Amino acid sequence: MKQAILLGIIVCFGVFFCTNAEDPYRFYTWEVTYGTRAPLGVPQQVILINNQFPGPPIEAVTNDNIIVNVINQLDEPFLITWHGIKQRRTSWQDGVLGTNCPITPHTNWTYKFQLKDQIGTYMYYPSTLMHRASGGFGAINVNQRSVISIPYPAPDGDVTLLIADWYINGYKALQKRLDSGLDLPLPDGLLINGANNSYIFSGQQGKTYKFRVTNVGIATSINFRIQGHPMTLIEVEGAHSLQEQYESLDIHPGQSIAVLVTLRASVKDYFIVASTRFTKPILTTTGILRYMGSNTPASLPLPVGPTYHLHWSMKQARTIRLNLTANAARPNPQGSFHYGAIKIMRTLVLANSKAQINGKLRYAVNGISYVDPTTPLKLADWLNIPGVFSLNAIKDSPSSVPPVLGVSVFGLTLHDFVEIVFQNTESITQSWHLDGSSFYVVGYGGGNWTTVSRRRYNLADGIPRHTVQVYPLGWTAILVSLDNKGMWNLRSQHWSKRYLGQQVYLRVWNDEKSLFTEADIPLNALRCGKAVQF
């Protein structure tokens, strides 16, 4: 693709298409602004993209090239990250402060990445400060190419639902509260596609619809269900699942699912319900599934059915049946990738904790509360800039040393096969996300993880995914093949905890300089901090 063509096409808002011998290109121009909306009935400042809340969806196909010109009209530096998109060879495009300089106010920067070998339901959102608590998020829906079959009947329609917790106070007020040493309170309510108790979907009796449901919230696990309509699970975070029916599903922060729903009931209205899990009181919002021709409103009480979590094991699968295939873009038979036979090269036991450091509330991993340096880690690494970070300053397992502020980077080798154990020392359900790779969830349990816990691992057909929950005072174990060179963020999806230090980076590296393993620094890469001098 020639730069002149790119610049000639991006001249106004919208999306354009270009095809040639390469995979197709999709061009977007997004203007990020403040605006006033009333998601919970009270006017408040939100973050808009092209005057939309939520932001516009990216509708694409496997291997499409995505070009997004982001114009930052906020009064603070800003970045967008592409949650679940692996960014093959291009951690430069990941959109977090460890890889990118932020887009300063009233300037723009253009992301360029490929949806390489991925299908499924993903999202984007701001990665800077607490911006995402005020909006700036949206859906990324990646469909299969026409030559790739799907393991379920083609639906008659595709519906995107973004469910979220929501605060009436904007992100600046929430940041001020966190900086003062106070945790965030319970959210004020829940939203479906940016609205409370007002979403309506109309469908035809007898038709089957694909519902893509993503938890774009900042802290709260949410239960999702549709009154009188069983849901057939077909995808979790970009991987096809065994097709079993559920009355309700828990979706934790950062997680996505897709389900098929057939409209077999009587012609009337039915509730679409999202309600909080593990909170007192329980917060609920509803939408309406409306049969075309209906003049009968949905009736109370709200539907309440069995709750199912996105678990991992063959044993659990006898009850909840949420085992997945190993490859999303080209579905393989269950368990065809024999990850359980691969030798583990390194084990990281990561304990999250709450701490007071220098009289301030902080959150930490293995005793280090992460602070973003002014120079992105990836730039410092590529340009050999000293004094930004040290490899393995964070230890592979927790210790009793009092927490400190620092920059946490694990040094790992390209193609290492790594065991990561998330040890939750807090009394809340955690949710962890890894950029750049999918992993297999192989075990979970209560109390402290030990090497004996490996006896309980599912080493046959675990779930490949990018986000996983960890229950209070318990642990979850994953196995991951680090086959994507770059600097990758591993973070809590509880955004206040991530804001206050609960994140680390994985530097996946080898000495070979090859475009087959990693792209060069982009010509338009922003320079900040110490990198300005290079």
Side-chain angles (χ1 to χ4, degrees):
M1 181 189 65
K2 296 185 180 299
Q3 188 71 11
I5 294 176
L6 171 62
L7 295 177
I9 292 177
I10 304 180
V11 294
C12 64
F13 297 112
V15 54
F16 300 81
F17 303 92
C18 169
T19 60
N20 51 31
E22 300 179 80
D23 291 303
Y25 283 78
R26 296 177 184 262
F27 296 87
Y28 301 79
T29 296
W30 288 355
E31 185 176 29
V32 182
T33 61
Y34 296 117
T36 300
R37 297 290 190 273
L40 294 178
V42 179
Q44 64 180 107
Q45 185 185 78
V46 300
I47 293 176
L48 307 174
I49 297 179
N50 291 358
N51 203 38
Q52 296 180 48
F53 173 80
I58 291 178
E59 300 285 352
V61 174
T62 300
N63 288 355
D64 281 356
N65 294 284
I66 306 297
I67 315 294
V68 187
N69 180 25
V70 176
I71 304 168
N72 176 19
Q73 300 290 16
L74 306 185
D75 57 5
E76 295 176 322
F78 182 82
L79 281 173
I80 290 175
T81 191
W82 317 94
H83 184 98
I85 303 305
K86 293 182 182 179
Q87 304 290 358
R88 300 292 304 179
R89 307 185 305 110
T90 56
S91 64
W92 303 106
Q93 308 297 327
D94 203 29
V96 292
L97 288 174
T99 59
N100 296 83
C101 296
I103 307 167
T104 55
H106 311 298
T107 66
N108 72 297
W109 192 71
T110 300
Y111 292 87
K112 306 172 185 177
F113 58 90
Q114 187 179 25
L115 303 173
K116 183 65 175 173
D117 291 337
Q118 289 189 260
I119 67 167
T121 305
Y122 308 99
M123 61 180 141
Y124 64 84
Y125 50 77
S127 66
T128 39
L129 301 174
M130 288 290 291
H131 287 137
R132 65 176 294 196
S134 287
F137 50 75
I140 305 175
N141 298 327
V142 186
N143 292 296
Q144 78 284 353
R145 301 164 84 177
S146 59
V147 296
I148 303 297
S149 63
I150 53 175
Y152 52 84
D156 297 297
D158 200 309
V159 184
T160 297
L161 298 180
L162 303 178
I163 58 176
D165 49 17
W166 191 255
Y167 290 86
I168 292 175
N169 286 327
Y171 78 88
K172 290 184 178 181
L174 299 182
Q175 282 177 195
K176 185 176 180 180
R177 179 183 174 95
L178 293 168
D179 292 341
S180 73
L182 298 175
D183 268 324
L184 297 186
L186 189 70
D188 296 303
L190 298 183
L191 306 180
I192 298 176
N193 287 358
N196 180 260
N197 295 332
S198 62
Y199 172 79
I200 297 176
F201 168 72
S202 295
Q204 294 184 2
Q205 189 179 42
K207 299 291 187 181
T208 297
Y209 297 90
K210 179 179 181 178
F211 284 78
R212 301 175 183 266
V213 189
T214 297
N215 186 340
V216 297
I218 65 169
T220 310
S221 300
I222 298 176
N223 181 261
F224 177 80
R225 55 204 185 270
I226 300 177
Q227 182 182 22
H229 289 74
M231 303 176 292
T232 301
L233 188 72
I234 57 172
E235 178 222 326
V236 176
E237 296 169 25
H240 291 126
S241 68
L242 294 179
Q243 296 165 33
E244 300 291 329
Q245 286 191 344
Y246 304 93
E247 295 181 33
S248 70
L249 285 164
D250 280 350
I251 308 173
H252 302 277
Q255 293 181 351
S256 301
I257 64 169
V259 297
L260 294 181
V261 178
T262 301
L263 276 56
R264 294 192 177 98
S266 301
V267 176
K268 63 177 185 176
D269 290 356
Y270 298 87
F271 282 116
I272 299 171
V273 186
S275 57
T276 58
R277 292 278 288 153
F278 320 120
T279 66
K280 293 182 179 180
I282 296 173
L283 306 176
T284 298
T285 188
T286 61
I288 295 295
L289 169 60
R290 173 162 295 164
Y291 280 54
M292 291 182 181
S294 168
N295 57 10
T296 305
S299 58
L300 294 172
L302 298 180
V304 177
T307 296
Y308 299 102
H309 308 277
L310 303 183
H311 284 308
W312 59 275
S313 72
M314 292 183 295
K315 181 178 180 181
Q316 289 284 337
R318 296 190 186 104
T319 302
I320 62 175
R321 304 290 290 178
L322 292 182
N323 293 328
L324 306 181
T325 63
N327 185 297
R330 296 173 178 83
N332 293 332
Q334 181 75 46
S336 60
F337 181 67
H338 301 295
Y339 63 89
I342 302 174
K343 180 181 179 181
I344 294 172
M345 307 297 293
R346 187 169 172 183
T347 296
L348 306 178
V349 181
L350 306 182
N352 55 271
S353 61
K354 182 177 181 179
Q356 288 284 324
I357 302 177
N358 300 328
K360 295 285 188 178
L361 172 67
R362 298 291 300 185
Y363 288 90
V365 179
N366 285 8
I368 297 182
S369 182
Y370 188 88
V371 178
D372 284 299
T374 57
T375 307
L377 307 176
K378 184 60 185 174
L379 272 179
D381 200 24
W382 187 269
L383 299 173
N384 295 314
I385 301 174
V388 176
F389 70 94
S390 298
L391 288 176
N392 300 318
I394 184 172
K395 302 305 179 185
D396 287 8
S397 58
S399 67
S400 58
V401 177
V404 297
L405 302 177
V407 180
S408 309
V409 182
F410 289 102
L412 296 143
T413 302
L414 183 64
H415 302 305
D416 272 359
F417 193 69
V418 178
E419 176 186 40
I420 301 177
V421 179
F422 299 104
Q423 183 70 62
N424 188 0
T425 69
E426 301 174 67
S427 58
I428 52 91
T429 298
Q430 264 283 10
S431 187
W432 286 93
H433 171 77
L434 175 62
D435 287 346
S437 295
S438 290
F439 50 72
Y440 290 87
V441 182
V442 293
Y444 71 98
N448 291 327
W449 179 90
T450 68
T451 56
V452 176
S453 304
R454 291 178 179 143
R455 297 175 184 174
R456 301 171 53 185
Y457 282 7
N458 168 22
L459 298 178
D461 59 356
I463 293 177
R465 55 196 309 180
H466 53 68
T467 305
V468 67
Q469 73 272 15
V470 190
Y471 293 107
L473 305 177
W475 58 268
T476 295
I478 66 172
L479 297 178
V480 56
S481 179
L482 297 174
D483 59 356
N484 195 10
K485 190 173 179 177
M487 187 74 70
W488 303 110
N489 193 210
L490 176 60
R491 60 181 176 265
S492 172
Q493 284 299 123
H494 285 234
W495 216 244
S496 60
K497 299 178 186 296
R498 193 254 190 182
Y499 172 72
L500 292 178
Q502 214 157 73
Q503 60 175 315
V504 302
Y505 280 84
L506 308 184
R507 178 191 186 251
V508 181
W509 187 253
N510 67 0
D511 292 332
E512 177 189 15
K513 185 173 177 59
S514 169
L515 294 178
F516 289 103
T517 56
E518 185 173 32
D520 284 335
I521 184 172
L523 294 176
N524 69 337
L526 299 175
R527 308 289 178 107
C528 55
K530 295 182 177 181
V532 172
Q533 306 169 22
F534 287 78

